[in-house]
Amino acid sequence: MTKVRIFVTYKQSVFDPQGETIKDAIHTLGHDDVKDVQVGKFFDVTVDGSKDAVEKTVKEIADQLLVNFNMETYTYQVMEED
Amino acid sequence: MKIAVIVFPGSNCDVDLYEALHSVCHADVEYVSHKEKSLDGFDAVMLPGGFSYGDYLRAGAIARFTNIMPAVIRMAKEGKPVFGTCNGFQILTEVGLLPGALKRNDSQKFVCKTVPLEVVNNQTIFTRQYKDHERIALPIAHADGSYFADEQTLDRLEENHQVVFRYAEENPNGSLRNIAGITNERGNVLGMMPHPERAVEALLGSTAGLRLFKSLLETGSAKVEE
């Protein structure tokens, strides 16, 4: 079994209103050093199969469901393998 | 013309849509559950507003996987009228029947009010009873209504006259190019964030949405030729 974390965010070119709002809130804390905040979400999925099969599954579910490529993009990271 | 109103778990404007068609327009309309697999016998299909599947993942993303959706897609491909308002619009973009996506409002707020709109294209089966560039006002009620598409797609929409409604005066959600409603290239699929079904009787405060349904019902042939 392999645990994979899939991160989904808006594309760089897409305005992220949540990120902007949170950045403004951070500035009211006095942290003007924070220049940008991007909000995203992650999915921890546990997948059965070989390394190649797991990556194939992750790409398929990201492409077909987890990500809307009109506005979003994704990365993933293998968390645990056993 | 026999019209189907699809009911998803979390739909909450299905009754509004049904009554606009049934009580006000005296149309032949039936509720169809998302569990059904067929739309045989129907000439048009409408996807209501609401929060199908709790807006989990993204608004409209899960409704795409319901039993009924292949039949909806089939009707769209056959050139029959397909209409989605609010969550229905979000679903139509998620299934790929309409280009682009609806993202979180720029204000981060749920916006519920009546907004001025311009009818940009009155040559569609849904808008024939409006005047060219007519100003109307319709209610909106959404948190994820900011229309987004890349520049190329936006240019193509404008060139093909697929932008049907635009926000006039103010842009309530950050939609690119003030887009409030679009059709597919063929013109038989319309998605819009405003709610025409909530503006069909004077008692509701406005009848500005009524002509959308009448345009469709009174045009005779429902099918849009390629």
PDB file of all heavy atoms in Angstrom, chain B residues 46-70:
ATOM      1  N   MET B  46     -33.595  20.382 -17.866  1.00  0.00           N
ATOM      2  CA  MET B  46     -33.134  21.529 -17.087  1.00  0.00           C
ATOM      3  C   MET B  46     -32.492  21.062 -15.786  1.00  0.00           C
ATOM      4  O   MET B  46     -33.011  20.186 -15.097  1.00  0.00           O
ATOM      5  CB  MET B  46     -34.310  22.460 -16.790  1.00  0.00           C
ATOM      6  CG  MET B  46     -34.933  23.009 -18.067  1.00  0.00           C
ATOM      7  SD  MET B  46     -35.882  24.492 -17.799  1.00  0.00           S
ATOM      8  CE  MET B  46     -36.336  24.873 -19.499  1.00  0.00           C
ATOM      9  N   LEU B  47     -31.337  21.669 -15.467  1.00  0.00           N
ATOM     10  CA  LEU B  47     -30.614  21.346 -14.233  1.00  0.00           C
ATOM     11  C   LEU B  47     -30.802  22.511 -13.259  1.00  0.00           C
ATOM     12  O   LEU B  47     -30.439  23.648 -13.576  1.00  0.00           O
ATOM     13  CB  LEU B  47     -29.124  21.132 -14.510  1.00  0.00           C
ATOM     14  CG  LEU B  47     -28.751  20.157 -15.639  1.00  0.00           C
ATOM     15  CD1 LEU B  47     -27.233  19.966 -15.672  1.00  0.00           C
ATOM     16  CD2 LEU B  47     -29.429  18.813 -15.470  1.00  0.00           C
ATOM     17  N   PRO B  48     -31.358  22.236 -12.084  1.00  0.00           N
ATOM     18  CA  PRO B  48     -31.710  23.321 -11.161  1.00  0.00           C
ATOM     19  C   PRO B  48     -30.533  23.829 -10.334  1.00  0.00           C
ATOM     20  O   PRO B  48     -29.469  23.213 -10.300  1.00  0.00           O
ATOM     21  CB  PRO B  48     -32.748  22.654 -10.251  1.00  0.00           C
ATOM     22  CG  PRO B  48     -32.332  21.227 -10.201  1.00  0.00           C
ATOM     23  CD  PRO B  48     -31.717  20.912 -11.558  1.00  0.00           C
ATOM     24  N   GLY B  49     -30.790  24.908  -9.622  1.00  0.00           N
ATOM     25  CA  GLY B  49     -29.812  25.448  -8.686  1.00  0.00           C
ATOM     26  C   GLY B  49     -29.814  24.656  -7.391  1.00  0.00           C
ATOM     27  O   GLY B  49     -30.647  23.770  -7.178  1.00  0.00           O
ATOM     28  N   GLY B  50     -28.875  24.972  -6.538  1.00  0.00           N
ATOM     29  CA  GLY B  50     -28.768  24.294  -5.254  1.00  0.00           C
ATOM     30  C   GLY B  50     -27.331  23.958  -4.944  1.00  0.00           C
ATOM     31  O   GLY B  50     -26.406  24.640  -5.409  1.00  0.00           O
ATOM     32  N   PHE B  51     -27.169  22.899  -4.183  1.00  0.00           N
ATOM     33  CA  PHE B  51     -25.825  22.503  -3.749  1.00  0.00           C
ATOM     34  C   PHE B  51     -25.711  20.985  -3.880  1.00  0.00           C
ATOM     35  O   PHE B  51     -25.667  20.261  -2.884  1.00  0.00           O
ATOM     36  CB  PHE B  51     -25.581  22.950  -2.297  1.00  0.00           C
ATOM     37  CG  PHE B  51     -25.679  24.435  -2.144  1.00  0.00           C
ATOM     38  CD1 PHE B  51     -26.905  25.047  -1.922  1.00  0.00           C
ATOM     39  CD2 PHE B  51     -24.552  25.231  -2.278  1.00  0.00           C
ATOM     40  CE1 PHE B  51     -27.001  26.422  -1.825  1.00  0.00           C
ATOM     41  CE2 PHE B  51     -24.640  26.607  -2.175  1.00  0.00           C
ATOM     42  CZ  PHE B  51     -25.875  27.209  -1.950  1.00  0.00           C
ATOM     43  N   SER B  52     -25.712  20.505  -5.119  1.00  0.00           N
ATOM     44  CA  SER B  52     -25.678  19.062  -5.318  1.00  0.00           C
ATOM     45  C   SER B  52     -24.450  18.478  -4.619  1.00  0.00           C
ATOM     46  O   SER B  52     -23.349  19.010  -4.742  1.00  0.00           O
ATOM     47  CB  SER B  52     -25.674  18.732  -6.809  1.00  0.00           C
ATOM     48  OG  SER B  52     -24.566  19.304  -7.457  1.00  0.00           O
ATOM     49  N   TYR B  53     -24.685  17.415  -3.893  1.00  0.00           N
ATOM     50  CA  TYR B  53     -23.623  16.730  -3.141  1.00  0.00           C
ATOM     51  C   TYR B  53     -22.846  17.710  -2.257  1.00  0.00           C
ATOM     52  O   TYR B  53     -21.642  17.576  -2.072  1.00  0.00           O
ATOM     53  CB  TYR B  53     -22.697  15.951  -4.083  1.00  0.00           C
ATOM     54  CG  TYR B  53     -23.445  14.841  -4.773  1.00  0.00           C
ATOM     55  CD1 TYR B  53     -24.083  15.059  -5.976  1.00  0.00           C
ATOM     56  CD2 TYR B  53     -23.554  13.589  -4.175  1.00  0.00           C
ATOM     57  CE1 TYR B  53     -24.821  14.053  -6.590  1.00  0.00           C
ATOM     58  CE2 TYR B  53     -24.288  12.582  -4.774  1.00  0.00           C
ATOM     59  CZ  TYR B  53     -24.910  12.812  -5.979  1.00  0.00           C
ATOM     60  OH  TYR B  53     -25.649  11.829  -6.571  1.00  0.00           O
ATOM     61  N   GLY B  54     -23.569  18.685  -1.717  1.00  0.00           N
ATOM     62  CA  GLY B  54     -22.965  19.605  -0.754  1.00  0.00           C
ATOM     63  C   GLY B  54     -21.817  20.427  -1.301  1.00  0.00           C
ATOM     64  O   GLY B  54     -21.020  20.964  -0.532  1.00  0.00           O
ATOM     65  N   ASP B  55     -21.744  20.539  -2.646  1.00  0.00           N
ATOM     66  CA  ASP B  55     -20.614  21.243  -3.270  1.00  0.00           C
ATOM     67  C   ASP B  55     -19.275  20.596  -2.907  1.00  0.00           C
ATOM     68  O   ASP B  55     -18.226  21.238  -2.983  1.00  0.00           O
ATOM     69  CB  ASP B  55     -20.566  22.732  -2.892  1.00  0.00           C
ATOM     70  CG  ASP B  55     -21.495  23.586  -3.753  1.00  0.00           C
ATOM     71  OD1 ASP B  55     -22.096  23.044  -4.713  1.00  0.00           O
ATOM     72  OD2 ASP B  55     -21.602  24.794  -3.471  1.00  0.00           O
ATOM     73  N   TYR B  56     -19.300  19.323  -2.496  1.00  0.00           N
ATOM     74  CA  TYR B  56     -18.054  18.646  -2.135  1.00  0.00           C
ATOM     75  C   TYR B  56     -17.103  18.647  -3.330  1.00  0.00           C
ATOM     76  O   TYR B  56     -17.526  18.509  -4.467  1.00  0.00           O
ATOM     77  CB  TYR B  56     -18.311  17.192  -1.722  1.00  0.00           C
ATOM     78  CG  TYR B  56     -19.025  17.026  -0.396  1.00  0.00           C
ATOM     79  CD1 TYR B  56     -19.415  15.763   0.052  1.00  0.00           C
ATOM     80  CD2 TYR B  56     -19.306  18.119   0.410  1.00  0.00           C
ATOM     81  CE1 TYR B  56     -20.065  15.603   1.265  1.00  0.00           C
ATOM     82  CE2 TYR B  56     -19.959  17.963   1.616  1.00  0.00           C
ATOM     83  CZ  TYR B  56     -20.342  16.713   2.044  1.00  0.00           C
ATOM     84  OH  TYR B  56     -20.994  16.551   3.241  1.00  0.00           O
ATOM     85  N   LEU B  57     -15.840  18.759  -3.048  1.00  0.00           N
ATOM     86  CA  LEU B  57     -14.748  18.816  -4.019  1.00  0.00           C
ATOM     87  C   LEU B  57     -14.767  20.138  -4.767  1.00  0.00           C
ATOM     88  O   LEU B  57     -13.894  20.961  -4.562  1.00  0.00           O
ATOM     89  CB  LEU B  57     -14.772  17.619  -4.977  1.00  0.00           C
ATOM     90  CG  LEU B  57     -13.570  17.504  -5.905  1.00  0.00           C
ATOM     91  CD1 LEU B  57     -12.276  17.373  -5.136  1.00  0.00           C
ATOM     92  CD2 LEU B  57     -13.746  16.336  -6.867  1.00  0.00           C
ATOM     93  N   ARG B  58     -15.731  20.331  -5.661  1.00  0.00           N
ATOM     94  CA  ARG B  58     -15.989  21.610  -6.331  1.00  0.00           C
ATOM     95  C   ARG B  58     -17.475  21.618  -6.648  1.00  0.00           C
ATOM     96  O   ARG B  58     -18.059  20.553  -6.865  1.00  0.00           O
ATOM     97  CB  ARG B  58     -15.224  21.741  -7.666  1.00  0.00           C
ATOM     98  CG  ARG B  58     -13.722  21.764  -7.591  1.00  0.00           C
ATOM     99  CD  ARG B  58     -13.130  21.826  -9.003  1.00  0.00           C
ATOM    100  NE  ARG B  58     -13.592  20.754  -9.849  1.00  0.00           N
ATOM    101  CZ  ARG B  58     -13.020  19.550  -9.922  1.00  0.00           C
ATOM    102  NH1 ARG B  58     -11.963  19.278  -9.205  1.00  0.00           N
ATOM    103  NH2 ARG B  58     -13.525  18.622 -10.712  1.00  0.00           N
ATOM    104  N   ALA B  59     -18.058  22.802  -6.741  1.00  0.00           N
ATOM    105  CA  ALA B  59     -19.489  22.873  -7.053  1.00  0.00           C
ATOM    106  C   ALA B  59     -19.766  22.149  -8.374  1.00  0.00           C
ATOM    107  O   ALA B  59     -19.147  22.447  -9.393  1.00  0.00           O
ATOM    108  CB  ALA B  59     -19.932  24.326  -7.128  1.00  0.00           C
ATOM    109  N   GLY B  60     -20.649  21.175  -8.332  1.00  0.00           N
ATOM    110  CA  GLY B  60     -21.057  20.465  -9.557  1.00  0.00           C
ATOM    111  C   GLY B  60     -20.184  19.283  -9.929  1.00  0.00           C
ATOM    112  O   GLY B  60     -20.527  18.526 -10.830  1.00  0.00           O
ATOM    113  N   ALA B  61     -19.074  19.094  -9.219  1.00  0.00           N
ATOM    114  CA  ALA B  61     -18.096  18.072  -9.636  1.00  0.00           C
ATOM    115  C   ALA B  61     -18.611  16.646  -9.457  1.00  0.00           C
ATOM    116  O   ALA B  61     -18.308  15.766 -10.255  1.00  0.00           O
ATOM    117  CB  ALA B  61     -16.786  18.245  -8.873  1.00  0.00           C
ATOM    118  N   ILE B  62     -19.382  16.414  -8.406  1.00  0.00           N
ATOM    119  CA  ILE B  62     -19.806  15.043  -8.120  1.00  0.00           C
ATOM    120  C   ILE B  62     -21.066  14.680  -8.915  1.00  0.00           C
ATOM    121  O   ILE B  62     -21.250  13.525  -9.317  1.00  0.00           O
ATOM    122  CB  ILE B  62     -20.041  14.845  -6.603  1.00  0.00           C
ATOM    123  CG1 ILE B  62     -18.813  15.301  -5.798  1.00  0.00           C
ATOM    124  CG2 ILE B  62     -20.371  13.387  -6.288  1.00  0.00           C
ATOM    125  CD1 ILE B  62     -17.554  14.500  -5.987  1.00  0.00           C
ATOM    126  N   ALA B  63     -21.915  15.675  -9.158  1.00  0.00           N
ATOM    127  CA  ALA B  63     -23.154  15.429  -9.910  1.00  0.00           C
ATOM    128  C   ALA B  63     -22.854  14.844 -11.284  1.00  0.00           C
ATOM    129  O   ALA B  63     -23.676  14.134 -11.868  1.00  0.00           O
ATOM    130  CB  ALA B  63     -23.948  16.728 -10.054  1.00  0.00           C
ATOM    131  N   ARG B  64     -21.669  15.146 -11.780  1.00  0.00           N
ATOM    132  CA  ARG B  64     -21.237  14.630 -13.074  1.00  0.00           C
ATOM    133  C   ARG B  64     -21.293  13.103 -13.132  1.00  0.00           C
ATOM    134  O   ARG B  64     -21.465  12.519 -14.191  1.00  0.00           O
ATOM    135  CB  ARG B  64     -19.797  15.096 -13.280  1.00  0.00           C
ATOM    136  CG  ARG B  64     -19.221  14.798 -14.611  1.00  0.00           C
ATOM    137  CD  ARG B  64     -17.787  15.290 -14.660  1.00  0.00           C
ATOM    138  NE  ARG B  64     -16.872  14.210 -14.946  1.00  0.00           N
ATOM    139  CZ  ARG B  64     -15.599  14.179 -14.586  1.00  0.00           C
ATOM    140  NH1 ARG B  64     -15.085  15.172 -13.887  1.00  0.00           N
ATOM    141  NH2 ARG B  64     -14.838  13.181 -14.911  1.00  0.00           N
ATOM    142  N   PHE B  65     -21.155  12.440 -11.993  1.00  0.00           N
ATOM    143  CA  PHE B  65     -21.057  10.985 -11.976  1.00  0.00           C
ATOM    144  C   PHE B  65     -22.392  10.290 -11.722  1.00  0.00           C
ATOM    145  O   PHE B  65     -22.431   9.095 -11.501  1.00  0.00           O
ATOM    146  CB  PHE B  65     -20.026  10.548 -10.925  1.00  0.00           C
ATOM    147  CG  PHE B  65     -18.651  11.021 -11.267  1.00  0.00           C
ATOM    148  CD1 PHE B  65     -18.161  12.208 -10.742  1.00  0.00           C
ATOM    149  CD2 PHE B  65     -17.860  10.318 -12.153  1.00  0.00           C
ATOM    150  CE1 PHE B  65     -16.898  12.670 -11.076  1.00  0.00           C
ATOM    151  CE2 PHE B  65     -16.599  10.773 -12.494  1.00  0.00           C
ATOM    152  CZ  PHE B  65     -16.116  11.958 -11.963  1.00  0.00           C
ATOM    153  N   THR B  66     -23.474  11.037 -11.738  1.00  0.00           N
ATOM    154  CA  THR B  66     -24.779  10.421 -11.478  1.00  0.00           C
ATOM    155  C   THR B  66     -25.253   9.653 -12.711  1.00  0.00           C
ATOM    156  O   THR B  66     -24.824   9.919 -13.841  1.00  0.00           O
ATOM    157  CB  THR B  66     -25.823  11.491 -11.101  1.00  0.00           C
ATOM    158  OG1 THR B  66     -25.803  12.512 -12.093  1.00  0.00           O
ATOM    159  CG2 THR B  66     -25.504  12.105  -9.754  1.00  0.00           C
ATOM    160  N   ASN B  67     -26.177   8.719 -12.471  1.00  0.00           N
ATOM    161  CA  ASN B  67     -26.727   7.872 -13.550  1.00  0.00           C
ATOM    162  C   ASN B  67     -27.286   8.679 -14.710  1.00  0.00           C
ATOM    163  O   ASN B  67     -27.191   8.279 -15.862  1.00  0.00           O
ATOM    164  CB  ASN B  67     -27.878   7.011 -13.002  1.00  0.00           C
ATOM    165  CG  ASN B  67     -27.373   5.886 -12.136  1.00  0.00           C
ATOM    166  OD1 ASN B  67     -26.177   5.599 -12.118  1.00  0.00           O
ATOM    167  ND2 ASN B  67     -28.279   5.250 -11.403  1.00  0.00           N
ATOM    168  N   ILE B  68     -27.917   9.800 -14.376  1.00  0.00           N
ATOM    169  CA  ILE B  68     -28.667  10.531 -15.404  1.00  0.00           C
ATOM    170  C   ILE B  68     -27.768  11.302 -16.374  1.00  0.00           C
ATOM    171  O   ILE B  68     -28.185  11.627 -17.486  1.00  0.00           O
ATOM    172  CB  ILE B  68     -29.690  11.505 -14.735  1.00  0.00           C
ATOM    173  CG1 ILE B  68     -30.770  11.952 -15.735  1.00  0.00           C
ATOM    174  CG2 ILE B  68     -28.993  12.718 -14.131  1.00  0.00           C
ATOM    175  CD1 ILE B  68     -31.686  10.860 -16.200  1.00  0.00           C
ATOM    176  N   MET B  69     -26.527  11.597 -15.955  1.00  0.00           N
ATOM    177  CA  MET B  69     -25.714  12.512 -16.765  1.00  0.00           C
ATOM    178  C   MET B  69     -25.421  12.027 -18.186  1.00  0.00           C
ATOM    179  O   MET B  69     -25.454  12.842 -19.119  1.00  0.00           O
ATOM    180  CB  MET B  69     -24.425  12.909 -16.037  1.00  0.00           C
ATOM    181  CG  MET B  69     -24.603  13.915 -14.911  1.00  0.00           C
ATOM    182  SD  MET B  69     -25.748  15.283 -15.208  1.00  0.00           S
ATOM    183  CE  MET B  69     -24.873  16.190 -16.453  1.00  0.00           C
ATOM    184  N   PRO B  70     -25.155  10.733 -18.411  1.00  0.00           N
ATOM    185  CA  PRO B  70     -24.955  10.328 -19.814  1.00  0.00           C
ATOM    186  C   PRO B  70     -26.170  10.660 -20.695  1.00  0.00           C
ATOM    187  O   PRO B  70     -26.003  11.030 -21.857  1.00  0.00           O
ATOM    188  CB  PRO B  70     -24.720   8.816 -19.704  1.00  0.00           C
ATOM    189  CG  PRO B  70     -24.154   8.625 -18.335  1.00  0.00           C
ATOM    190  CD  PRO B  70     -24.883   9.629 -17.478  1.00  0.00           C
TER     191      PRO B  70
END
